[in-house]
Amino acid sequence: QVQLVESGGGSVQSGGSLRLSCAAFGYAYTVTTTSMGWFRQAPGKEREGVASIDTYGSTAYADSVKGRFTISKDNAKNTLYLHLNSLKPEDTAMYYCAASSSCSGSRCLNRLAYLNWGQGTQVVVSS
């Protein structure tokens, strides 16, 4: 069973930056062989796809974060990253990473494609 552990969340002011990490444990080639995504969930809202990268390296982003967030991965470290720039108060949410063996391209932004989730890391952006 693969375990995903997020870190890097915190409190920042509007316009600030953060880097979220998602380390995979239990299988050394998780980020290499599975599609992975970042999702977020604000209080009272549904969990939404933020960014994803499939096994071909194709990335997809939600319109609300295009040009501000960047997804990347380090295969040697078996770790997925999300670089958050130009943060806005509306980016405040719990951020989750997830792994999927069944999606590609923009379909990887759909949370229903994922069965394996991390516990989340909180991001708070103040104005």
Side-chain angles (χ1 to χ4, degrees):
Q1 179 75 13
V2 172
Q3 183 182 12
L4 303 174
V5 180
E6 302 97 332
S7 62
S11 296
V12 297
Q13 290 190 326
S14 182
S17 299
L18 286 172
R19 188 186 75 166
L20 307 184
S21 300
C22 171
F25 300 94
Y27 178 59
Y29 304 102
T30 299
V31 298
T32 305
T33 61
T34 64
S35 297
M36 300 196 72
W38 285 99
F39 293 77
R40 67 185 180 187
Q41 188 167 18
K45 295 188 176 181
E46 289 191 354
R47 190 170 299 189
E48 63 173 352
V50 175
S52 65
I53 182 165
D54 67 17
T55 55
Y56 302 100
S58 177
T59 58
Y61 296 92
D63 288 343
S64 59
V65 307
K66 281 181 181 177
R68 300 189 299 121
F69 292 7
T70 303
I71 190 170
S72 65
K73 61 181 181 177
D74 186 327
N75 291 337
K77 294 183 178 180
N78 210 20
T79 299
L80 180 74
Y81 300 100
L82 185 67
H83 306 260
L84 297 75
N85 297 311
S86 302
L87 282 161
K88 305 175 181 180
E90 51 263 43
D91 295 318
T92 295
M94 185 71 80
Y95 283 71
Y96 301 88
C97 71
S100 171
S101 60
S102 63
C103 71
S104 62
S106 60
R107 288 188 293 274
C108 293
L109 286 178
N110 187 337
R111 61 183 173 86
L112 298 179
Y114 296 84
L115 294 178
N116 198 339
W117 294 84
Q119 84 290 347
T121 186
Q122 181 70 47
V123 172
V124 177
V125 184
S126 58
S127 58

